[in-house]
Amino acid sequence: MRRRIPVPGDLAQDERFGEMYYALTKKDELCMIGIQASPNTMKRYRLEFTAEEAERHGLSNLPYEEVNENATK
């Protein structure tokens, strides 16, 4: 099952881009992106992690939202 992981604490909300989430670049680099970023920006990142990816990036202990894989296809 895939998951979205919101950024906790003071960085959780951005005035311009809304709620912040951890994301992966195409090079598998960890970053943060606002859920209201432009569609062109969103194309460059993946907000959904597998359990293995979350573990590899040290995010496995953070709260997450489960993503229905059938809804994203």
Side-chain angles (χ1 to χ4, degrees):
M1 174 134 333
R2 299 184 77 75
R3 56 182 75 179
R4 283 188 178 183
I5 305 172
V7 175
D10 293 339
L11 299 175
Q13 192 72 21
D14 181 81
E15 194 173 294
R16 183 172 174 197
F17 299 113
E19 188 173 358
M20 301 295 285
Y21 284 84
Y22 287 107
L24 293 174
T25 66
K26 292 180 181 185
K27 294 181 180 181
D28 198 44
E29 297 169 328
L30 185 65
C31 61
M32 296 184 309
I33 188 163
I35 199 72
Q36 296 174 353
S38 72
N40 286 339
T41 300
M42 294 296 275
K43 288 180 190 176
R44 292 182 266 167
Y45 303 95
R46 186 166 48 88
L47 294 174
E48 298 171 1
F49 290 77
T50 63
E52 293 81 20
E53 290 169 332
E55 180 74 32
R56 184 171 62 239
H57 290 284
L59 304 174
S60 59
N61 293 329
L62 293 176
Y64 61 89
E65 302 166 3
E66 290 184 0
V67 177
N68 183 349
E69 294 183 36
N70 295 329
T72 59
K73 292 183 181 178

